[in-house]
Amino acid sequence: MGKSAHSKSAIVIGSGFAGLSGAICLAAEGYDVTIIEKNSQTGGRARMLEASGFRFDMGPSWYWMPEVIQQFFKRFGRSLDDYFHLQRLDPSYQVIFSGEDALSVPADYEALKKLFESIEPGSGTQLDAFLREARYKYESGMQHFAYKPGQSLTEFIDPKVFRSLFRMDMLTSFSKHVRKYFSHPRLLQILEFPVLFLGAEPAKIPALYSMMNYADMRLGTWYPQGGMHCLVTALTSLAQEMGVDLLLDTEVFKLNVQNKKVKHVHTTRGCFSADIIIAAADYHHVDRCLLSPQHSSYSDHYWETRKMAPSCLLYYVGVNKKLPRLQHHNLFFESDFSEHAACIYNTRSWPEDPLFYLCCPSKTDRTVAPPGMENLFFLIPTAPGLPDNATIRNHYFDMLIKRTADFCGEDLSSNIVFRQSYAHNNFVEDYHAFKGNAYGLANTLKQTAVLKPSIRSKRVNNLFFAGQLTVPGPGVPPAIISGQVTAGYIIKHYNKRVYESVI
């Protein structure tokens, strides 16, 4: 690993946003850090697929909460401008209600208020009130909660934190909260869509998550020129600038524990050791498969009773024509939201008539598709753990292409020059994702903060966790925060050996 005789060393398993973030933070504190990555690229779910002249972001495609990412780079004396150009999208996205009926959501707030007012008289003023509350939740959440390691309720024993809890609407449902301000079905769909991936129906998600609406409508939807993978490239470059070593195409298959510490990390390229291990790979896989049972923090029963956020069925598609009616982000909401949500969260079944999301980054970025062509990324949110085979994938692909063609007013089937699907089985194969999940644990009240899987192993003193299955939760900014939180906890507690007295 190339470490000096007197420095502290760390191994980070997995190079997603959490792994890269954690590695950078430890390296900045003088650790000799090595990232061990199973796949041939860094980025985890945010890898890039290059084929037939197209460049597809394989996972995240929404760039929200830009200040979190900016602040991370600033912490290390860098600017995002050192790595890529970020632009705000306008319109932020469009919502398709039928083949002829679509609504563009403007970036400008006054224009957004006028749009709301045109749909439901009085809703412009209501939007002001709704987003004032949402701003408070967002700012309080980011200041008092997002960066907490979730190790004890004592973290929240602070007058400011305690007061903010009363205004966070933790016990009111998101659905009920939104309906205090708005009643028109279209406005409700626009406001409820950001919580679709949080792990429960809006009626069962805390109203706290109206903070997502503030991130959407006030902080904006952005795009890094070159694609979301540019953020991965930037973090990877920063890690290497900080001296982090990268081992790609290297899978960890066992953690050997002796005297309550990981002694050896067994991989397909040999055996490694370090003072600290951060597991930023799938938490369940590390806890139940890489460790022996006596060293696991959680039982199989614990994992089986966790409520998971959705998985998804994805398609990466290249077409050899331009599609004028599409925007960068397109939400196809022609079908019933509640029926699809019930398939995800209640019946755990494939939806008959799904809502879907279509990203067309070639509207903004010339580099992601050959001239005169479009880069299409389709996503259907689904329940985790569903059967996954070619027949199912082909069925939904044909459905999505037809609905897209109906909206665009032109046939697409003869214009497809590249197509690749990605779903549950791929998430398991590539990331060892528990039940093929794409978005981690559901953000329910019973799986928040100290009730999430711990960033610190309960039985192995030098093993820590980061990523979407622990605090603060799923999403690109939360994953970056997760790596910071775990590294910060190690720096504060492990160096002083405080953690040994509380295990």
Side-chain angles (χ1 to χ4, degrees):
M1 290 179 54
K3 68 175 183 174
S4 65
H6 303 293
S7 63
K8 302 177 291 294
S9 60
I11 288 173
V12 177
I13 303 171
S15 68
F17 290 117
L20 288 168
S21 168
I24 291 165
C25 292
L26 287 183
E29 291 293 322
Y31 278 79
D32 284 324
V33 183
T34 297
I35 295 176
I36 300 178
E37 168 56 50
K38 172 182 182 290
N39 295 302
S40 61
Q41 300 176 40
T42 56
R45 285 163 168 77
R47 290 181 299 150
M48 182 174 64
L49 168 65
E50 294 188 83
S52 303
F54 297 91
R55 290 192 294 113
F56 298 95
D57 284 315
M58 295 187 70
S61 60
W62 292 82
Y63 196 111
W64 277 357
M65 302 167 65
E67 81 289 351
V68 171
I69 300 167
Q70 290 167 350
Q71 288 167 7
F72 181 82
F73 280 86
K74 185 177 180 180
R75 174 179 172 182
F76 303 102
R78 309 300 200 278
S79 166
L80 285 181
D81 295 334
D82 299 333
Y83 301 95
F84 57 81
H85 171 66
L86 192 63
Q87 74 177 84
R88 186 167 182 175
L89 298 181
D90 188 12
S92 299
Y93 49 90
Q94 72 171 337
V95 184
I96 294 97
F97 297 104
S98 71
E100 296 298 322
D101 190 4
L103 184 154
S104 293
V105 177
D108 178 76
Y109 183 63
E110 290 304 316
L112 179 65
K113 285 175 62 178
K114 289 179 182 177
L115 173 65
F116 269 55
E117 193 71 30
S118 71
I119 296 171
E120 181 180 322
S123 63
T125 301
Q126 288 292 85
L127 185 61
D128 283 335
F130 175 76
L131 290 180
R132 273 197 301 272
E133 282 291 313
R135 176 179 180 175
Y136 176 84
K137 292 169 187 171
Y138 182 88
E139 293 179 348
S140 292
M142 297 306 295
Q143 181 179 353
H144 299 308
F145 301 100
Y147 291 85
K148 300 289 188 186
Q151 293 303 290
S152 169
L153 287 173
T154 59
E155 294 169 19
F156 306 98
I157 299 177
D158 177 284
K160 291 181 181 178
V161 174
F162 199 68
R163 282 195 300 270
S164 71
L165 279 171
F166 288 96
R167 289 187 58 187
M168 297 297 273
D169 279 334
M170 298 290 282
L171 302 178
T172 303
S173 79
F174 184 87
S175 178
K176 183 178 179 181
H177 177 69
V178 171
R179 282 161 178 77
K180 283 168 51 180
Y181 298 89
F182 311 99
S183 60
H184 196 285
R186 292 195 172 183
L187 298 185
L188 296 176
Q189 279 192 305
I190 291 170
L191 292 163
E192 289 182 340
F193 108 81
V195 306
L196 181 63
F197 302 99
L198 292 179
E201 297 162 281
K204 296 179 182 177
I205 285 285
L208 159 70
Y209 288 103
S210 64
M211 64 187 290
M212 300 290 289
N213 301 115
Y214 177 75
D216 168 13
M217 295 175 172
R218 292 301 261 172
L219 301 181
T221 299
W222 300 75
Y223 178 75
Q225 280 294 326
M228 291 290 290
H229 194 263
C230 285
L231 178 56
V232 173
T233 303
L235 288 165
T236 303
S237 296
L238 178 55
Q240 292 174 316
E241 291 164 22
M242 304 294 288
V244 175
D245 293 325
L246 289 172
L247 279 179
L248 302 177
D249 293 307
T250 306
E251 181 166 7
V252 175
F253 60 84
K254 182 181 178 182
L255 298 179
N256 175 256
V257 177
Q258 297 178 21
N259 299 320
K260 297 184 71 176
K261 288 188 176 183
V262 174
K263 185 72 173 177
H264 298 107
V265 178
H266 296 271
T267 79
T268 51
R269 291 175 61 181
C271 185
F272 300 87
S273 61
D275 300 314
I276 288 288
I277 312 297
I278 294 182
D282 184 86
Y283 199 130
H284 169 268
H285 175 71
V286 175
D287 190 48
R288 298 302 300 167
C289 301
L290 301 188
L291 292 168
S292 57
Q294 68 266 31
H295 297 125
S296 297
S297 293
Y298 301 99
S299 66
D300 286 334
H301 174 75
Y302 172 88
W303 286 109
E304 289 299 327
T305 54
R306 294 310 89 190
K307 188 173 180 60
M308 304 302 296
S311 185
C312 54
L313 171 55
L314 304 168
Y315 301 97
Y316 314 107
V317 181
V319 296
N320 63 4
K321 66 192 295 186
K322 302 303 285 186
L323 300 170
R325 289 205 73 190
L326 292 182
Q327 295 179 10
H328 189 116
H329 294 301
N330 308 269
L331 302 169
F332 281 76
F333 281 4
E334 312 109 310
S335 51
D336 187 89
F337 179 93
S338 60
E339 289 184 10
H340 188 159
C343 289
I344 298 173
Y345 303 119
N346 299 333
T347 62
R348 303 282 174 174
S349 59
W350 284 101
E352 184 175 331
D353 191 17
L355 287 72
F356 69 95
Y357 159 62
L358 169 54
C359 183
C360 185
S362 46
K363 292 294 176 188
T364 307
D365 189 345
R366 296 179 183 177
T367 70
V368 299
M373 301 190 189
E374 300 281 32
N375 174 317
L376 306 179
F377 168 95
F378 294 87
L379 184 154
I380 302 175
T382 68
L386 294 179
D388 172 21
N389 56 53
T391 300
I392 291 171
R393 295 190 188 195
N394 290 336
H395 167 73
Y396 284 104
F397 180 77
D398 292 341
M399 181 188 298
L400 267 55
I401 290 296
K402 182 180 185 307
R403 285 169 60 179
T404 304
D406 288 346
F407 173 69
C408 292
E410 46 192 310
D411 180 59
L412 293 181
S413 57
S414 61
N415 299 100
I416 296 170
V417 294
F418 178 80
R419 161 190 172 183
Q420 184 168 314
S421 61
Y422 200 95
H424 304 69
N425 293 346
N426 302 104
F427 282 106
V428 173
E429 180 181 357
D430 289 348
Y431 312 119
H432 297 295
F434 181 51
K435 296 185 177 180
N437 82 85
Y439 298 99
L441 288 176
N443 284 283
T444 59
L445 189 58
K446 293 181 180 180
Q447 294 181 162
T448 298
V450 297
L451 301 179
K452 285 184 182 291
S454 175
I455 65 169
R456 186 191 68 196
S457 170
K458 296 176 182 293
R459 297 181 178 179
V460 183
N461 290 348
N462 66 338
L463 176 60
F464 301 84
F465 293 85
Q468 63 178 9
L469 288 172
T470 185
V471 293
V476 175
I480 292 173
I481 291 171
S482 178
Q484 293 179 76
V485 167
T486 300
Y489 185 86
I490 291 166
I491 292 161
K492 182 177 180 180
H493 294 281
Y494 185 86
N495 289 355
K496 298 176 181 178
R497 300 297 190 265
V498 170
Y499 77 97
E500 291 183 310
S501 67
V502 294
I503 291 179

